[in-house]
Amino acid sequence: MESVRTLKDKAFLIIKGLGMGAANKVPGVSGGVVAFVAGFYEEFIYSLQRINKTAFKLLFNGRFNSFYRYINGKFLSLLFLGMIISYFSVSKILDYFLVHYELYVWSTFFGMIVGSIYYINKDFDDWNYKSIISLLLGIALGISISFLDPATENDNLFFVFFCGIISVSGMTLPGFSGSFILILLGNYVLLLVDSVNALYDTFAEIFTGDFSFIENEVRVRLLKVLAMFTLGSVAGLVTFSHVLNYVLHNYKSITIASIIGFIIGSLGVVWPWKHTLYKTADDGSFVLDSRGEQIISHYERFLPELTSETFIAIAYVLLGILIVLALEWYGKRTKQIK
C-alpha cells in the first residue's frame, strides 16, 4: 500500500511540475503561485537552497548519491521533469487555446490568481503598520510593472543570461510573472518560443540521424541563446532561493504582505477583457519580430458589456477559483495522510 501511495505522490509531483511549467510560460501567471497554493512552496525553496558549497563539494568528490540526497534530488528531479514536459506539450496546448479562446483562458487565470490571493491571505493574521505598508508597496509595484511597454528583441548572450536570472524569479516569487517580464524585456518570443522550438526540432532531427542543423546558422544561434538562458535560469533559481530563504526567515510577515500586494497589483496583467495593441513604424506598418509576427506594444483594458460571452467568461473566472480551492484541499489531504 505504501509503494502505491509513493508512486501516486510521484505522479502528482510531476503534475505539479506541469502546472508550474505551464504557468511560467503564460504572461501574467506565476509558477510560484502554483507551488504556494499546491502546498510545496517551502519544500521547493528549501531544496533549491541546498544547492550550495556543500552540495558542490559532494558532487566534485564523486559522492553522487550523497549529493542527490542532500539537495532533495528525488523531489527536484520529478518536479523539473514535469516542467520540461510542460514546455514541450502543455505549453503548446496553452498556446493553441490562447489563440482560439483567449478570453476564456485569461478568465481562468484571473480566477486562479484571485483564488491564490484568498489562499495566501486566509492564514495571515500579522497585520500591522509595517505589513500594511508592504502590502501597499507590493500593489503599487505590481500595477506599475503591468503597465510598462515592452522593449525590442535582443539576442546578446550577456543580456540573455540576465533574462534567465530575471524570468526564473516567477518560480520563486509568487505573483511575479517571469514570462511577462520577458515580454517587457522584448525577449519572450525569442526565449520561450523560438529557442524552445529550435531545441525540439534539433532533437527530432538527431533522432532520425539528421545532423544538418550544425550548418544552420540560425538554428545554432538559437541553441546558443537557449543554453545561455538556461544557465541564467539555474543561476537565478539558486540565487533567489538563498535570498528568499533568508528574507522569509527574518522578515516573514513583511515578505508575505508584499507578495499578497504584488499579486493583487498583477491582476491588471491577466485582466481578461483587453485589446492587444501592436508596435507600428512611422509609415503605419506593423513592426515584426524574427518570426515575422507583430510585436506587442501594450494592452488596452476595458470593462465588458453584459453579453452571453461575458457570462461564460465569468463562469471561467469561478472555475479558476475552484481550481485553486481544489489544490488547497489536495494539499491539506496530502498532509493529513502523511
Side-chain angles (χ1 to χ4, degrees):
M1 185 68 181
E2 184 65 27
S3 60
V4 174
R5 184 180 297 168
T6 302
L7 183 62
K8 182 180 177 182
D9 288 342
K10 289 179 180 179
F12 272 112
L13 193 53
I14 294 175
I15 292 172
K16 290 172 183 177
L18 288 171
M20 283 192 74
N24 284 321
K25 182 78 180 285
V26 179
V29 184
S30 164
V33 169
V34 174
F36 215 112
V37 174
F40 63 96
Y41 179 75
E42 289 187 9
E43 184 176 4
F44 179 58
I45 295 300
Y46 169 79
S47 301
L48 291 175
Q49 193 252 340
R50 299 283 282 184
I51 303 176
N52 52 28
K53 184 170 64 175
T54 302
F56 283 114
K57 280 183 178 179
L58 292 171
L59 182 63
F60 293 141
N61 289 331
R63 299 173 60 186
F64 301 116
N65 288 333
S66 298
F67 168 78
Y68 187 75
R69 289 194 300 270
Y70 181 78
I71 66 169
N72 198 8
K74 185 179 293 186
F75 171 83
L76 285 179
S77 59
L78 290 172
L79 195 65
F80 281 115
L81 175 62
M83 292 183 199
I84 292 170
I85 294 173
S86 174
Y87 266 78
F88 292 102
S89 58
V90 175
S91 60
K92 288 186 178 293
I93 296 172
L94 273 175
D95 289 342
Y96 171 83
F97 281 105
L98 279 169
V99 171
H100 295 88
Y101 304 98
E102 182 179 17
L103 174 61
Y104 302 143
V105 172
W106 285 118
S107 297
T108 304
F109 285 132
F110 186 84
M112 289 179 71
I113 293 179
V114 170
S116 301
I117 294 169
Y118 157 77
Y119 174 82
I120 298 172
N121 181 63
K122 70 182 181 65
D123 294 324
F124 182 73
D125 55 4
D126 190 16
W127 290 110
N128 51 53
Y129 79 95
K130 289 183 179 179
S131 55
I132 291 174
I133 291 175
S134 300
L135 173 75
L136 295 175
L137 289 175
I139 293 174
L141 182 60
I143 293 174
S144 300
I145 290 178
S146 67
F147 284 94
L148 290 175
D149 291 336
T152 56
E153 187 174 290
N154 185 347
D155 65 353
N156 178 277
L157 293 182
F158 289 106
F159 183 70
V160 167
F161 183 82
F162 170 75
C163 287
I165 293 175
I166 296 299
S167 69
V168 82
S169 58
M171 289 190 191
T172 53
L173 287 172
F176 192 87
S177 172
S179 54
F180 183 70
I181 297 300
L182 284 182
I183 286 180
L184 296 179
L185 294 174
N187 273 4
Y188 176 80
V189 172
L190 174 67
L191 300 177
L192 293 188
V193 180
D194 288 349
S195 59
V196 173
N197 288 340
L199 181 63
Y200 180 84
D201 294 339
T202 301
F203 279 139
E205 291 173 5
I206 291 175
F207 185 75
T208 59
D210 181 4
F211 293 89
S212 60
F213 71 90
I214 297 174
E215 299 176 358
N216 186 330
E217 292 184 7
V218 175
R219 179 79 63 81
V220 171
R221 178 184 69 87
L222 286 173
L223 292 176
K224 287 180 180 178
V225 164
L226 182 60
M228 188 59 70
F229 178 64
T230 303
L231 286 174
S233 298
V234 172
L237 268 179
V238 175
T239 303
F240 274 114
S241 64
H242 283 80
V243 172
L244 267 178
N245 184 65
Y246 173 81
V247 171
L248 284 171
H249 181 73
N250 294 280
Y251 307 99
K252 187 171 184 178
S253 296
I254 293 175
T255 303
I256 292 177
S258 300
I259 288 174
I260 294 172
F262 195 89
I263 296 176
I264 293 172
S266 69
L267 281 172
V269 180
V270 289
W271 177 251
W273 295 276
K274 55 179 176 282
H275 297 302
T276 303
L277 302 180
Y278 298 93
K279 289 187 177 181
T280 56
D282 293 336
D283 60 1
S285 60
F286 288 110
V287 178
L288 305 179
D289 60 24
S290 59
R291 297 190 303 164
E293 296 186 0
Q294 299 169 3
I295 298 176
I296 295 174
S297 171
H298 61 278
Y299 298 109
E300 187 176 78
R301 299 162 182 84
F302 61 92
L303 293 175
E305 297 179 358
L306 295 180
T307 62
S308 58
E309 184 182 57
T310 301
F311 286 116
I312 294 173
I314 292 173
Y316 275 99
V317 172
L318 296 176
L319 174 64
I321 295 173
L322 287 174
I323 289 172
V324 172
L325 294 178
L327 285 171
E328 178 193 2
W329 172 83
Y330 169 74
K332 284 183 177 179
R333 187 169 177 273
T334 302
K335 289 179 180 178
Q336 288 173 354
I337 291 174
K338 292 179 179 179

